[in-house]
Amino acid sequence: MSTKEPPCGLDAALAVMGGKWKPLILYHLNSGPKRFGDLKRLVMGVSEKVLIQQLRELAAAGVLTRHDYQRVPPMVDYTMTAFGTTLARALMPLCEWGTEHRNKIAEIMRSPERVESASHSVNLGRSTTS
Amino acid sequence: MSTKEPPCGLDAALAVMGGKWKPLILYHLNSGPKRFGDLKRLVMGVSEKVLIQQLRELAAAGVLTRHDYQRVPPMVDYTMTAFGTTLARALMPLCEWGTEHRNKIAEIMRSPERVESASHSVNLGRSTTS
DNA sequence: CTCGATACTTACCTTAAGGTCAGTACTACC
DNA sequence: GGTAGTACTGACCTTAAGGTAAGTATCGAG
């Protein structure tokens, strides 16, 4: 019984969209195909190397397609697949939640709520913060 | 203009819920208060140390409260805050998406889609896979 | 000529995140 | 005595993830 499929598919979803920049990449691509340079500007703070890497992973996961126009200088665009679109749609409530609560979250990050019996500051770390 | 608040709150949301086990912790706590041991069994694969750590972080972020009954042996339970409940609700579409697509995702992870001009396997890494 | 644009690749580096293991303190049961 | 339960703490370790910097090749503009 302990090896049964879990009731919640969050682990599976996170296996696809997990990565520091992937959620934002998905958000931006959901509004239409984008060139590499567009994404670089829209996903503020991402390095070229990591952007390329995570785009490739998303492509490998069938979430987006990379279309190379075989030009010099290079010209490449990235488009959501139908599968990817369903994921982006499932991410929208989280996006909205974050937008609505952005001020509260910023405040909490500045001054985390005192945790009973411990009051060290929170490190939310590498993988998800910007 | 480039320092304006982003249109999408995913970064803020991820600042709160980012962490390998936090989404699943949130999912399980959404169905009612839980003892530490309950969570350890429900969130399969998590180590005690990391579970404690991420519970503390979620408490510091105001998502849940920790109630210590001051007993020996220790008796502690964790309850979602109203704020946390809004987040868990925002996560449900993603949970459902993952559940629906679990088979497809498992297949992709076994055999990632060929990426144009590269065909290396996908490593979805530490922070979000189980 | 230089610089800017395009979208990458590669070498190398740092460190945050998650983990194992040992320990804590008490009770109850065998 | 031992084991099991409760929920932690701290020391120590590994490595995945994200990053910087340098480089690639071509075109067009000044």
Side-chain angles (χ1 to χ4, degrees):
Chain A
M1 70 167 68
S2 60
T3 59
K4 287 285 291 179
E5 194 169 273
C8 165
L10 277 171
D11 60 306
L14 290 167
V16 174
M17 55 155 277
K20 182 168 179 177
W21 302 104
K22 287 180 188 174
L24 276 173
I25 291 169
L26 289 171
Y27 171 81
H28 288 295
L29 274 184
N30 202 32
S31 57
K34 298 277 184 300
R35 300 277 295 279
F36 177 81
D38 294 332
L39 286 169
K40 197 168 69 170
R41 279 183 296 276
L42 289 166
V43 185
M44 287 183 291
V46 71
S47 70
E48 283 190 18
K49 180 247 189 180
V50 170
L51 180 56
I52 289 157
Q53 184 177 297
Q54 298 201 354
L55 284 167
R56 282 196 180 282
E57 286 164 14
L58 289 168
V63 170
L64 57 88
T65 55
R66 178 181 176 279
H67 186 204
D68 182 350
Y69 289 86
Q70 307 283 1
R71 295 202 181 161
V72 170
M75 180 166 164
V76 172
D77 74 17
Y78 295 88
T79 306
M80 289 289 260
T81 61
F83 179 58
T85 300
T86 62
L87 175 54
R89 198 179 301 127
L91 271 173
M92 291 313 294
L94 199 54
C95 169
E96 283 153 17
W97 184 88
T99 304
E100 274 172 44
H101 294 96
R102 188 182 286 280
N103 292 336
K104 179 175 169 91
I105 293 162
E107 193 183 318
I108 286 164
M109 295 306 144
R110 278 197 301 269
S111 176
E113 297 190 13
R114 178 172 294 270
V115 181
E116 195 169 286
S117 88
S119 54
H120 52 278
S121 65
V122 177
N123 172 15
L124 290 174
R126 162 173 286 183
S127 61
T128 56
T129 57
S130 54
Chain B
M1 70 173 60
S2 57
T3 58
K4 287 284 293 177
E5 194 168 274
C8 166
L10 276 170
D11 60 306
L14 289 166
V16 172
M17 55 158 277
K20 181 166 176 177
W21 303 103
K22 286 178 188 173
L24 276 172
I25 291 170
L26 289 171
Y27 171 82
H28 288 296
L29 273 185
N30 202 32
S31 55
K34 298 277 186 300
R35 299 277 296 278
F36 177 80
D38 294 333
L39 287 169
K40 195 169 67 170
R41 279 184 296 275
L42 289 166
V43 185
M44 286 182 292
V46 70
S47 70
E48 283 190 14
K49 181 247 190 183
V50 170
L51 179 56
I52 289 158
Q53 184 178 295
Q54 298 202 352
L55 284 167
R56 283 197 180 280
E57 287 165 12
L58 288 169
V63 172
L64 57 86
T65 56
R66 176 182 176 277
H67 185 203
D68 182 351
Y69 290 86
Q70 309 281 1
R71 291 196 186 166
V72 171
M75 180 168 161
V76 172
D77 74 19
Y78 296 88
T79 308
M80 290 286 261
T81 61
F83 179 57
T85 300
T86 63
L87 174 54
R89 199 179 299 128
L91 271 173
M92 290 312 295
L94 198 54
C95 170
E96 282 153 19
W97 184 88
T99 303
E100 274 172 44
H101 295 96
R102 187 183 286 281
N103 292 337
K104 179 175 169 89
I105 292 161
E107 192 184 317
I108 287 164
M109 295 306 144
R110 278 196 301 269
S111 175
E113 299 190 9
R114 180 173 291 271
V115 179
E116 196 170 283
S117 88
S119 53
H120 53 279
S121 67
V122 177
N123 171 17
L124 291 174
R126 160 171 288 184
S127 61
T128 56
T129 57
S130 54

